[in-house]
Amino acid sequence: MSIAIANLRHVFGLKGDVANNVAFQDEQTIIYPSGSNCILYNIETKTQKFISSIEKSGGMTAMALTPNKRYIAVAEKGEKATITIYDLQTLRKKKVLTTTDVQSQQYVSLAFSPDSKYLVSQGARPDWTLLYWAWEKPKPMASIRTSTNVSNEVYQVSFNPNDNAQFCVVGNGVFKTYKFNDGTLKANPIQKIEPQNFLCHSWLSEDRIIVGTDTGRMLLFEGQEHKKDFHVSSPVAPDSTGGERSGTAGQSETSESAMRAQTPVLCVTKYSKGFLCSAGNGVVYMYEKTDERELYKKAREIRIPISADSAQATANMKGALHEIMHMTISPSEETIIAGTRNNQLYTIGLTGAEISKGEQSLFETLSQPFHYDQITGLDVCIRKPLVSTCSLDRTVRIWNYENNSLDLTKEFQEEAFSVALHPSGLYVLVGFSDKLRLMNILIDDIQPFKEFTIRGCRECQFSNGGHLFAAVHGNVIQLYATYTFENVGNLKGHNGKVRSIVWSQDDSKIISCGVDGAVYEWSVYTSKREGESVLKTCSYTCAAVSPEGGTTFAVGSDKTLKEISDSQIQREVPAADTVLTQVAISRSGRMLFVGTAQGSIRAMKFPLTVPGEWTEHQCHASSITKMRISYDDGFLFTVGEDACLYTFKIMDKEGRGLKAKDITYAEEILISKSDLQEKDTAMKELKTRVYELNMENEYQLRLKDMNHHEKTKELTEKFIQEMESLKTKNQVLKTDKDKEEAKHEEERQELIERQHQELQDLESANNQKLMAEYEKYQELQAKSQRMQEEYERQLSAKSESHKQALREQTEQYETKLHEKIGQLEAAHDEMRQTMRIHEETKKQIEEDADREILDIKNMYERRLREEKEGNMRLTGETGIMKKKFKSQEQEIEALKSDINNLNTEKNKLNGVIKSLEKDILGLKKEIQERDETIQDKEKRIYDLKKKNQELEKFKFVLDYKIRELKKQIEPRENDIKAMKDQIQEMDTELERYNKNNTALDLKIEESKQKLKANKEEMAVQRQKVHDMEAELKRFRTDVSNCVQYIQDPQKLKTKIVELNKKYVQSEQAVEAAGMDVDIQKEYARQRDHLERSVASFRKKLTKDQQIHRADNVRIMQENVSLIKEINDLRRELKIARTQVHDLEANSNVLKKGALPIGPIISPEELDQTKKIVDIQKSEIKRLRDELRHSINRPLSNGQRLPPLEVAQ
């Protein structure tokens, strides 16, 4: 006996009626409620963590996150309204706050103070009490009623972002700010305005609040005064892309107001540049600060995209469902997340919205869309990790529980009541209000292909084999064949509606239960009832059958779990005053789970004991409607009226179950023929496009190569011309240099003489100065020696006087210390005396204090009234002072602008001075640079002389290399010729392989035709057999008719004669039949021969294919090696060309140089080398064309040779 373990794995859904139901913990993690849990969802990794609610909770009503992101407060309704504080680091309960000061059973809004130490909670009707908590203490610090009228609802409360003691409350006719002071809450005076339905508000700064109303107005209050009105209007009928945008904020456009509908402002959120507000119909408006009179201006709008073909028929209905109730902004203000009335979460990046400034932006769904109405159906696939759900929101959704994602969703015109997944995962059966539909699950759609006239089918189920399905039609269970759609049976017997049907594991039985209190066991083959258990006092809602099919477990309205075997109730396990709605048992028969009407699941101890033992897990916020276990017993799925789908990882106490590596899911999918054809055409078009692009790229490369060659030619010519011009410049510079050298030599001699004269003058002057300074130094040294002696005498006198004063002070303080000790003892005696007197006077003071407190209280109440009157007067004076202050600010700004103008003029003048200084520095640098260029030119002349000598040596070396290269070219030509022959042989071999492949293709085609003829002959023979069977059946019926005349021989004889004429064949027919037998034998022999020959051909074909493949690989390898060799030869040839070109250029330079150099190579030899190079070029070009031809020609197996490497 053991209780199974269930760990929560993933939740699909959102509880949309919770106040402030979405918040950022950090940049990647958001918190939102789902069912009775808080979900911590990581946007990047798509993982979830969970915070469970308290037991016996009536559901969450509000939540709030501390500003430091450390704790979260969750308000839950119940007999007493409760607030639970959770630590977000450990996900554990930190504090539970309850009080008797509140009459209501729930809180409508929560808010934390800026320092996260205080919490304010707003109660609901009837008293609308607001509580102020120091949440680490168990009792509230103060309370106050915010609404005196029971019908006037209060919606929201929030703290001042800079004050822990001030907060704001809004509601229907309620807009107040409170201040906590001396243990009490006091309302602050606010400028009177007409009562309105205030829906939401937000603090924009320490003294500025924006409040939204149900008429589309937003009121801005600053310092308790009404400062500005903003009108938010939206188009009457928004389209799928967002529709029209409204006008500028703050402007009352009377002409447009007639054409536009006012929508309520449901949510306001502050951010650094302004604020965001949601105005119904799935629209968010962004307002930004301005320096103008409007203070804030509408910058852009963001919309939720609504599909045009949605089943939500009217635009009003779409808008109501997509109304944004809550918004939150990430800490870095890069992301907005919005929660809607229909339980959806949407997101958008603020950076993206800023890029499209002034334009509409669209929200995107966060993770996946959820159900927003009660989920009525649930089923699990056997061969795929899929779960299907249907809901009253008219959608059918396919979920993947392996990667926690939504695979498919389809919206219909009718509400869906039940759903069943085929074991293959390729079909889904859905019961709608008008018909039962069998649909294909395609790759991106769900398409119906068969309809059954069963209205409002509340329960349907495929058999485990998938060949049958059962559907409930009122109190009748109808059985259909999945593939022929025939009604193979009707199970009649229930007197009330059938609420649950379940197949046994071998598909031989069906167990059903209904509201009539009956649990029936049906045989699928006979469509008859084999077992029954009727208890009219219980209305059953669900049943489950054990793996061997002998035991049934049922739950119903009598708050017990029943174990039924052999049509008898063996055990009744009480559920502790809780209605059980669902039951599920694992295929292994070791785990049993039940679902309750409160939304929790229980893992029962199995086998069952009385009284029962279980482990309870809180999950849904309302009743569980369906529960299923996956085929591998690894997962438990539950859905409820709260529109949430919960996934649990389950295992028995010993951890037994199918291992993950033993589970192999199917990967087949359905796709329609039209979609497949579209994709094929798209692929073909893309292939042609790729081929065209390749051709275009090759053409562009060729053009670039040609341009490159032309540019290189131009550059070489230009280089030669520049060399000629440099030579002429060099000659001119030489002559200039000689002139400059002579001139500089003369100047240098003059400078040397002048410097020698100046040096002598400076030496004589410095000697005189040095003598005078030495005399001064001698005088200063004697003076310093005298001062040092005097300072030493003073220091010794000071030290003696200091010691004497220290001795006197120590004696004086010792005498004082003795006096103080005596005084201290006397003070102790006096203190004891005064203590006795104090005790006596204390009693008298306490008696007098009570009388004085009453007098002081009356006095301070009178002063308080006077202070209030003074405060009202001072507020008027502060308004006047503010106006004066603004006028003074304007004057200061004017003076600042004048100062700025003067500063700019000053900067301009400084710039002019700096530019002139730069010009002076530039001129100095230019003089210095010219001196340096003269030195560089002298060095250049020397280097050129050295280079001329090196070029003479280099010419001799190059001549030797030219002779060596001529010797190397001849063997390369022989290699090229051998490679040509080899390529020719390979071409012939390729042609031979192509011919062999075509011959084999013809043989295969003939074999296919023979096989087709055999199939046709088999069909004819099968028809003959069928005809003979029909003939035999007729003969048997005629014989049975003759038997009735067994007593009348005459009639019997006539009937037998008729039978003889009718059925007995003539001799010719018998002979023909004999011949037919021979023909059949011959046919069978030839058929066997043909089959053997087809098999041998197949073997031969596979062998030939292997041989051809090996040959093709060998040819391709040889081609690759040949191409590599050719590329190597090209590189060497290119190097040789460059060397020859360099030699020619150097030879031309040397011929035109100043130094005469003798010829090393004759012109005839140069012409001969050029002819050889040209011949080799033409030969390489021809080889390249032949290789391209052989590469482009496909081989026998459809492959191509590798691309030719083109040397640049």
Side-chain angles (χ1 to χ4, degrees), residues 305-338:
I306 304 172
S307 58
D309 57 349
S310 175
Q312 301 161 356
T314 63
N316 292 330
M317 184 178 178
K318 292 179 190 176
L321 288 172
H322 287 85
E323 285 179 348
I324 294 171
M325 306 300 293
H326 315 283
M327 284 187 293
T328 184
I329 302 176
S330 63
S332 64
E333 296 191 348
E334 291 182 356
T335 308
I336 304 173
I337 290 181

Side-chain angles (χ1 to χ4, degrees), residues 789-1039:
E789 290 172 358
E790 187 179 351
Y791 285 141
E792 284 175 357
R793 284 195 305 275
Q794 289 177 4
L795 187 64
S796 59
K798 289 284 184 185
S799 61
E800 288 175 1
S801 64
H802 175 69
K803 285 177 184 178
Q804 182 64 30
L806 186 64
R807 281 195 297 274
E808 290 173 358
Q809 284 182 0
T810 50
E811 290 172 359
Q812 183 183 353
Y813 281 115
E814 281 175 358
T815 54
K816 282 183 181 180
L817 183 64
H818 290 302
E819 289 174 4
K820 291 291 181 184
I821 289 166
Q823 289 174 6
L824 187 64
E825 289 174 354
H828 277 298
D829 296 334
E830 189 177 351
M831 185 181 74
R832 283 192 288 272
Q833 183 72 24
T834 54
M835 284 293 288
R836 284 194 296 273
I837 297 164
H838 174 71
E839 289 294 330
E840 292 174 1
T841 54
K842 182 181 175 184
K843 290 177 183 177
Q844 295 175 2
I845 288 165
E846 284 177 353
E847 292 172 359
D848 296 336
D850 293 333
R851 290 192 299 274
E852 288 178 5
I853 284 166
L854 292 171
D855 297 336
I856 291 165
K857 184 180 177 183
N858 294 328
M859 181 180 69
Y860 278 113
E861 283 179 353
R862 189 169 59 256
R863 283 187 188 177
L864 183 63
R865 284 195 295 273
E866 291 172 359
E867 288 292 331
K868 281 183 179 177
E869 291 173 0
N871 281 335
M872 292 297 289
R873 189 172 60 257
L874 286 169
T875 51
E877 290 175 1
T878 52
I880 295 163
M881 293 302 291
K882 279 182 181 177
K883 289 178 182 177
K884 288 181 180 178
F885 178 69
K886 284 182 181 176
S887 63
Q888 291 291 332
E889 278 185 341
Q890 289 174 358
E891 290 177 5
I892 289 163
E893 285 176 358
L895 290 169
K896 281 181 180 177
S897 63
D898 294 338
I899 290 163
N900 289 330
N901 293 330
L902 292 169
N903 284 331
T904 52
E905 289 178 5
K906 180 185 173 184
N907 291 330
K908 285 179 184 177
L909 292 170
N910 287 331
V912 172
I913 292 162
K914 286 178 182 177
S915 63
L916 292 170
E917 288 175 353
K918 284 179 183 177
D919 292 338
I920 292 163
L921 288 170
L923 291 169
K924 287 180 179 178
K925 282 182 183 178
E926 192 175 351
I927 292 164
Q928 190 176 358
E929 285 171 2
R930 286 188 179 178
D931 292 336
E932 289 173 357
T933 51
I934 290 165
Q935 293 176 0
D936 291 333
K937 285 178 180 177
E938 288 176 357
K939 287 180 183 177
R940 187 85 181 273
I941 290 161
Y942 178 76
D943 291 333
L944 286 170
K945 283 181 180 179
K946 276 190 175 180
K947 203 168 185 181
N948 282 331
Q949 292 174 0
E950 287 173 1
L951 284 170
E952 288 175 2
K953 295 175 185 177
F954 189 64
K955 187 171 184 259
F956 177 79
V957 174
L958 288 173
D959 290 335
Y960 177 77
K961 283 187 177 180
I962 288 166
R963 286 195 292 272
E964 291 294 324
L965 285 169
K966 283 181 182 178
K967 292 176 184 177
Q968 290 176 6
I969 286 167
E970 290 176 0
R972 296 290 167 88
E973 287 177 352
N974 296 329
D975 292 340
I976 290 165
K977 190 175 180 184
M979 286 175 189
K980 279 185 195 175
D981 298 333
Q982 195 173 357
I983 289 164
Q984 212 163 8
E985 288 173 5
M986 287 161 70
D987 287 336
T988 54
E989 196 171 354
L990 280 170
E991 287 174 4
R992 183 164 52 79
Y993 284 144
N994 284 328
K995 287 176 183 177
N996 290 336
N997 284 333
T998 51
L1000 288 170
D1001 289 335
L1002 290 170
K1003 287 180 182 179
I1004 290 164
E1005 191 64 32
E1006 287 174 4
S1007 299
K1008 284 181 180 176
Q1009 288 176 0
K1010 288 177 182 177
L1011 190 63
K1012 187 178 178 184
N1014 288 337
K1015 285 181 181 177
E1016 290 173 357
E1017 187 63 31
M1018 282 176 71
V1020 171
Q1021 291 299 324
R1022 282 177 184 161
Q1023 186 63 38
K1024 284 182 181 179
V1025 170
H1026 185 269
D1027 294 339
M1028 291 300 290
E1029 285 175 354
E1031 188 74 18
L1032 184 62
K1033 193 174 181 182
R1034 286 197 299 272
F1035 181 73
R1036 282 176 181 169
T1037 54
D1038 290 340
V1039 168

Side-chain angles (χ1 to χ4, degrees), residues 699-841:
Y699 177 68
Q700 293 293 334
L701 283 170
R702 288 196 201 98
L703 285 177
K704 285 179 181 177
D705 288 340
M706 291 169 65
N707 292 330
H708 177 67
H709 289 308
E710 288 175 359
K711 285 179 181 177
T712 50
K713 285 180 183 177
E714 290 175 1
L715 286 170
T716 51
E717 291 173 358
K718 190 176 179 182
F719 175 68
I720 291 165
Q721 291 174 1
E722 285 178 357
M723 281 183 69
E724 294 294 333
S725 62
L726 283 170
K727 284 175 185 176
T728 55
K729 284 181 183 177
N730 192 12
Q731 293 294 332
V732 173
L733 287 170
K734 257 188 183 180
T735 55
D736 291 341
K737 180 222 173 191
D738 295 335
K739 292 176 183 177
E740 291 289 334
E741 276 182 354
K743 185 179 177 183
H744 285 304
E745 188 64 30
E746 292 175 0
E747 290 175 355
R748 192 169 68 83
Q749 292 296 331
E750 291 176 0
L751 284 169
I752 288 167
E753 291 173 359
R754 199 184 307 146
Q755 187 183 8
H756 184 65
Q757 184 64 33
E758 288 176 356
L759 188 63
Q760 288 176 354
D761 297 339
L762 284 169
E763 280 179 359
S764 61
N766 285 331
N767 286 330
Q768 292 173 2
K769 286 179 183 179
L770 191 62
M771 291 300 292
E773 291 294 330
Y774 183 72
E775 289 172 359
K776 285 181 184 177
Y777 171 72
Q778 292 292 334
E779 291 174 2
L780 288 169
Q781 193 172 12
K783 189 178 179 181
S784 67
Q785 195 169 0
R786 287 194 300 273
M787 287 172 73
Q788 190 173 2
E789 290 172 358
E790 187 179 351
Y791 285 141
E792 284 175 357
R793 284 195 305 275
Q794 289 177 4
L795 187 64
S796 59
K798 289 284 184 185
S799 61
E800 288 175 1
S801 64
H802 175 69
K803 285 177 184 178
Q804 182 64 30
L806 186 64
R807 281 195 297 274
E808 290 173 358
Q809 284 182 0
T810 50
E811 290 172 359
Q812 183 183 353
Y813 281 115
E814 281 175 358
T815 54
K816 282 183 181 180
L817 183 64
H818 290 302
E819 289 174 4
K820 291 291 181 184
I821 289 166
Q823 289 174 6
L824 187 64
E825 289 174 354
H828 277 298
D829 296 334
E830 189 177 351
M831 185 181 74
R832 283 192 288 272
Q833 183 72 24
T834 54
M835 284 293 288
R836 284 194 296 273
I837 297 164
H838 174 71
E839 289 294 330
E840 292 174 1
T841 54

